[in-house]
Amino acid sequence: LVLELNQVVIPTYGTVPDQQNLHIPEWVDFDDKTDSLFFKDGQRRIDFVLVYEDESKKMTHKRSDRKKQKRKRQVYESNLINSGLHLEATRSVLDEKLIFVKVHAPWEVLCTYAEVMHIKLPLQHNDLKTRDSAFNCFSKLFRVDENIIKPEQEFFTAPFQKEYLSNFYIQDKDTFFNPATRSRIVHFILSRVAYATKNNVKKFGINKLLDTGIYKAAFPLHDSSFRHPSTDPKCPSERYLLYREWAHPKNIFKLQPLDFIRKYYGEKIGIYFAWLGFYTNMLTVAAVVGVGCFLYGCLTKDNCTWSQEVCDPNIGGNIIMCPQCDKVCTYWNLTITCESSKKLCIFDSYGTLVFAVFMGIWVTFFLEFWKRRQAELEYEWDTVEFLEQEEQVRPEYEARCTHVVMNEITQEEEHVPYTACGKCVRMTFCTSAIFFWILLIIASVVGIIVYRLSVFLVFSAKLQQHINGTEAIRKYVTPQTATSVTASLISFVVIMVLNIIYEKVAILITDFELPRTQTDYENSLTTKMFLFQFVNYYSSCFYIAFFKGKFVGYPGSPVYWLGKYRNEECDPGGCLLELTTQLAIIVGGKAIWNNIQEVLLPLVKNLIGRCSAAARSEKVVPRWEHDYHLQPVGKLGLFYEYLEMVIQFGFVTLFVASFPLAPLLALMNNMLEIRLDAWKLTTQFRRMLPQKAQDIGAWQPILQGIALLAVVTNAMIIAFTSDMIPRLVYYWSFSVPPYGSHSSYTMKGYINSTLSVFKISDFKDASKPLSPLSGNHMTCRQVYRDLRYPPGHEHQYEHNIYYWHVMAAKLAFIIVMEHVIYFVKFVISYAIPDVSQKTKSKIKREKYLTQKLLHENDLKGVKKTMGKIADKIIKGADSTFQPKD
């Protein structure tokens, strides 16, 4: 929507109208009221602040460039005044080059644009009765004291219309529009006021002026210091209350004051913290069950028969394993893996199977209950019909609308930025760019795999020779462990570097797409960034879980990767422990890195800024100058916070079968994350522009997609990565006749039965180890349980019947587990409605009141007016036909 404002616009970049036709802001000096939020008259509230550097004092640009910038700024400010805004300019106290322009929107302007933007405002108090449940009574123990932060009054609301002004609940014109709404309206105007034209195309919007450096900053004001309440009696000191009752670490176990957050920062910030708090609360249940499964594994590890056989010198000590690489690797004893097999028993237990099924159901409950909570917030925060009514076209889109097309619905001409052919070209280019970068990430993963294959050869040949220490150190620092840990660390560094690069690329691609609204822009960017992050973060985990050790052949006929590198093999117990290590390093490293980036960087920048302003302690500084020296909020706002949490959600759900402690780590991280994000917003950053948001946007379908994929990945991890299915098949089928020799079901003999035998003389020259096997050993065992017939058998080195039983059991397990969980998910989704009955009643009541107050009052007015006209007509008729005396 391009507003037709009465504007004076520069026709070209080289001309300017007479200065006498331009309106300029009022110039005033600072009155030493450091906490004041008003113009110097003490009546008009500051709704927005613009900051620029005095062009006459700039030394970095040519004089002609400075003149052009000054002309554009002057015309822009004149057009703001023409549109009804009040401007007041004040020179900086600390830096005389800086000028602060304070913006105030009077009542008439607020009313006009509230109607244009379809902002919903209160009609009357909510008269529906609410019942306190037992849960609400319990949760009061964790809520903020209502005497400190008073609960927000509930109102029925309707889109504002000036002609029905008398029907709205207006007690005081100064407080009818709260500060967040006032800032939204002013920013709407700032984004659409023109400052120049070029080639008959208008140049407008504060964003363009910020990008070109004409203005240095534009932001709404914090209402007080976070350290102490405001000295101004007109100021409610909401920022101070938010810091004290929300952002301070002492509140880590308290519930968030969501309504108060929404009131101060707007719905977009409020919905993020509502979602993060809800997700964290739900993680509590998952963390408790996960810890229970972990403890079960710890308690039962000593009863793990197959691990006991590995560590037994009479069993594992007599088993010689084949080399894991060509030539340089040597034969080794199975007991070397004793410690890792004990650890593996903790994670590869039946408790893990139960936890994987539980998490498949938990994630469904989480998403369904969040939909209900989100519906409640949509109603309470007046965003139910936001997308259809309120959201405006992005200024960047409007500025490019040079093509005329016919609207199929209205049959009227409308302006669009590109033709159908142009749109097709843009989409093709953007899609190609996205696939190119995803392939680049896959190439980096391939590079990590090549590193693992090549470095494993070096570690196998030289690691044991260079380790000086006890036997215990040799047990822990094995070639497999060294390769896995170093590869995980390198993978983490590569992930972080590619993140930085791709962020900029994704923004450039989305800007080129030119989405119509801000929601479209954010959804498009969200999809691109998540596709990248999905491949970037999860590819190494998918490789370890589903590819490593699966296609290795056997010692006499190994499979080579890229024709040169022999494929990696897993430990005798599988790759599950390595997957757990990879997850722990990435999740832990990511959490530490993000906290450093989010907290320390803005803190250090602000400290440097304070140190550079040495005169600050000697002078009284106004509120707008305090806020200017805080860190600016990025254009994408909370995008990276959402991305961080959704990636974490993926780690918690997709690979939870290998790491039951993931929900506990996520819970501890999120409890800290809520307070760190709150601390960052209230103390280190300028006040974010209050924005409307109906929901969490494109993140909702992404979460649903992850939830569906998690069922498949966890089923496949249990089937193909863990050793659970082969153990069950052995226990129930191959430990007893006809395949086994034991009289009862047992796990004894499992290791000896599942490690295939290979005859040393059958090694090919290309892979035969340089160091011969000492002693009289004629055979060695394959590292991975490939289940093949022994040498001398008529089908030697081919898969035996045990292998096919195991494969059939694995496939059956995946199908059964998937179908059972999907069926339960479907039942839960059907049984839990997205909108509660209470919320539906409130919505119906509000629509009824809107119709009654705004429309029926019109009918009454019309009837009243028509009645008066009818009375006059009757009286006129009576006087006309009355007989004369």
Side-chain angles (χ1 to χ4, degrees), residues 433-464:
I434 292 168
F435 276 112
F436 169 77
W437 279 94
I438 289 177
L439 290 175
L440 185 64
I441 300 165
I442 295 175
S444 71
V445 175
V446 172
I448 297 295
I449 296 173
V450 171
Y451 166 84
R452 300 171 71 104
L453 298 175
S454 56
V455 169
F456 180 76
L457 297 175
V458 178
F459 284 151
S460 298
K462 300 183 178 180
L463 186 63
Q464 297 294 327

Side-chain angles (χ1 to χ4, degrees), residues 873-884:
I873 293 174
I874 292 171
K875 287 180 180 179
D878 289 343
S879 61
T880 302
F881 295 104
Q882 187 174 4
K884 295 180 180 180

Side-chain angles (χ1 to χ4, degrees), residues 194-208:
Y195 61 86
T197 60
K198 186 177 182 180
N199 300 328
N200 295 322
V201 177
K202 287 184 179 181
K203 302 294 180 181
F204 58 88
I206 188 62
N207 292 336
K208 289 285 186 183

Side-chain angles (χ1 to χ4, degrees), residues 612-838:
S612 62
R616 180 183 296 272
S617 60
E618 302 174 3
K619 296 181 180 179
V620 177
V621 181
R623 168 55 41 207
W624 50 84
E625 196 151 357
H626 274 297
D627 286 7
Y628 172 71
H629 289 287
L630 294 175
Q631 290 303 302
V633 179
K635 289 183 178 180
L636 299 179
L638 291 172
F639 173 81
Y640 296 108
E641 276 71 20
Y642 271 118
L643 184 62
E644 177 188 350
M645 288 297 104
V646 172
I647 293 296
Q648 181 205 86
F649 179 80
F651 281 119
V652 167
T653 54
L654 290 175
F655 306 102
V656 76
S658 65
F659 194 35
L661 293 179
L664 177 64
L665 296 181
L667 174 63
M668 293 189 295
N669 176 77
N670 289 4
M671 291 177 69
L672 187 62
E673 180 77 18
I674 291 174
R675 305 305 160 181
L676 287 178
D677 285 345
W679 173 84
K680 181 176 63 176
L681 285 179
T682 54
T683 66
Q684 303 301 309
F685 283 85
R686 296 170 189 161
R687 186 172 181 175
M688 292 186 71
L689 176 69
Q691 292 179 300
K692 281 278 189 180
Q694 190 177 31
D695 47 37
I696 61 174
W699 299 111
Q700 183 76 23
I702 288 175
L703 292 174
Q704 292 172 339
I706 292 175
L708 292 174
L709 182 61
V711 178
V712 180
T713 55
N714 283 302
M716 292 183 68
I717 286 172
I718 293 173
F720 291 105
T721 310
S722 80
D723 206 31
M724 187 176 298
I725 301 299
R727 291 202 302 268
L728 288 173
V729 172
Y730 177 82
Y731 182 84
W732 292 107
S733 298
F734 285 81
S735 64
V736 295
Y739 303 110
S741 58
H742 297 281
S743 58
S744 61
Y745 299 112
T746 181
M747 285 300 298
K748 291 181 179 180
Y750 173 71
I751 291 296
N752 195 47
S753 298
T754 54
L755 292 177
S756 301
V757 180
F758 180 77
K759 192 174 182 180
I760 294 174
S761 60
D762 290 339
F763 270 116
K764 294 181 179 179
D765 293 337
S767 57
K768 190 173 183 178
L770 297 176
S771 302
L773 180 61
S774 59
N776 298 322
H777 295 281
M778 303 299 295
T779 61
C780 62
R781 299 297 187 96
Q782 286 185 239
V783 176
Y784 188 66
R785 291 183 175 83
D786 210 17
L787 305 177
R788 296 176 183 272
Y789 287 114
H793 192 278
E794 59 178 335
H795 300 292
Q796 68 172 7
Y797 305 140
E798 293 181 8
H799 290 301
N800 58 24
I801 192 171
Y802 186 10
Y803 172 84
W804 297 111
H805 274 72
V806 168
M807 288 300 298
K810 288 181 176 181
L811 295 175
F813 172 80
I814 292 174
I815 293 172
V816 172
M817 181 176 172
E818 284 183 3
H819 282 69
V820 169
I821 295 179
Y822 282 142
F823 175 75
V824 174
K825 287 167 71 72
F826 171 77
V827 172
I828 293 172
S829 300
Y830 181 79
I832 302 176
D834 292 347
V835 184
S836 66
Q837 189 60 44
K838 182 175 70 173

Side-chain angles (χ1 to χ4, degrees), residues 146-159:
E146 294 184 357
N147 295 321
I148 298 175
I149 297 180
K150 296 181 179 179
E152 293 294 312
Q153 291 182 317
E154 291 190 17
F155 290 94
F156 291 117
T157 60

Side-chain angles (χ1 to χ4, degrees), residues 249-485:
K250 69 177 182 179
N251 304 307
I252 193 167
F253 295 109
K254 280 189 177 181
L255 296 176
Q256 302 178 84
L258 293 175
D259 290 333
F260 200 63
I261 297 168
R262 172 249 182 172
K263 178 185 176 184
Y264 190 78
Y265 285 112
E267 287 76 12
K268 200 163 195 174
I269 303 293
I271 200 76
Y272 165 73
F273 282 102
W275 175 79
L276 181 55
F278 187 85
Y279 170 46
T280 304
N281 292 338
M282 290 292 290
L283 275 175
T284 305
V285 181
V288 170
V289 178
V291 170
C293 293
F294 177 76
L295 292 176
Y296 172 82
C298 292
L299 294 174
T300 58
K301 70 173 182 176
D302 294 333
N303 300 324
C304 190
T305 307
W306 68 271
S307 176
Q308 293 172 354
E309 291 186 350
V310 170
C311 299
D312 191 338
N314 296 322
I315 301 177
N318 293 326
I319 295 179
I320 303 300
M321 307 301 295
C322 297
Q324 290 183 280
C325 62
D326 295 338
K327 293 187 177 297
V328 296
C329 293
T330 60
Y331 301 94
W332 51 284
N333 196 281
L334 182 61
T335 53
I336 291 177
T337 63
C338 176
E339 294 300 322
S340 63
S341 69
K342 291 179 180 179
K343 297 175 187 174
L344 189 60
C345 286
I346 298 174
F347 297 102
D348 195 1
S349 65
Y350 298 119
T352 303
L353 172 60
V354 173
F355 188 55
V357 174
F358 167 80
M359 287 300 293
I361 299 171
W362 172 88
V363 74
T364 306
F365 275 108
F366 164 63
L367 293 174
E368 291 303 317
F369 281 122
W370 167 245
K371 288 179 185 176
R372 286 171 66 90
R373 177 60 177 147
Q374 188 170 257
E376 293 175 6
L377 294 175
E378 284 180 18
Y379 168 75
E380 293 172 5
W381 293 354
D382 298 322
T383 60
V384 174
E385 298 174 348
F386 159 65
L387 291 180
E388 292 79 6
Q389 293 187 352
E390 286 188 51
E391 190 164 25
Q392 308 298 326
V393 177
R394 294 172 67 238
E396 293 83 356
Y397 181 91
E398 290 178 336
R400 300 288 185 88
C401 290
T402 56
H403 298 278
V404 179
V405 297
M406 185 66 69
N407 189 305
E408 296 180 356
I409 299 172
T410 62
Q411 292 299 310
E412 295 179 357
E413 290 185 348
E414 66 178 11
H415 292 268
V416 295
Y418 36 65
T419 60
C421 180
K423 185 175 182 179
C424 182
V425 171
R426 284 173 182 264
M427 294 303 295
T428 303
F429 172 80
C430 294
T431 305
S432 302
I434 292 168
F435 276 112
F436 169 77
W437 279 94
I438 289 177
L439 290 175
L440 185 64
I441 300 165
I442 295 175
S444 71
V445 175
V446 172
I448 297 295
I449 296 173
V450 171
Y451 166 84
R452 300 171 71 104
L453 298 175
S454 56
V455 169
F456 180 76
L457 297 175
V458 178
F459 284 151
S460 298
K462 300 183 178 180
L463 186 63
Q464 297 294 327
Q465 301 173 12
H466 290 81
I467 295 178
N468 297 320
T470 62
E471 185 67 23
I473 297 178
R474 291 174 177 268
K475 288 182 179 179
Y476 285 105
V477 188
T478 63
Q480 294 92 336
T481 304
T483 303
S484 176
V485 173

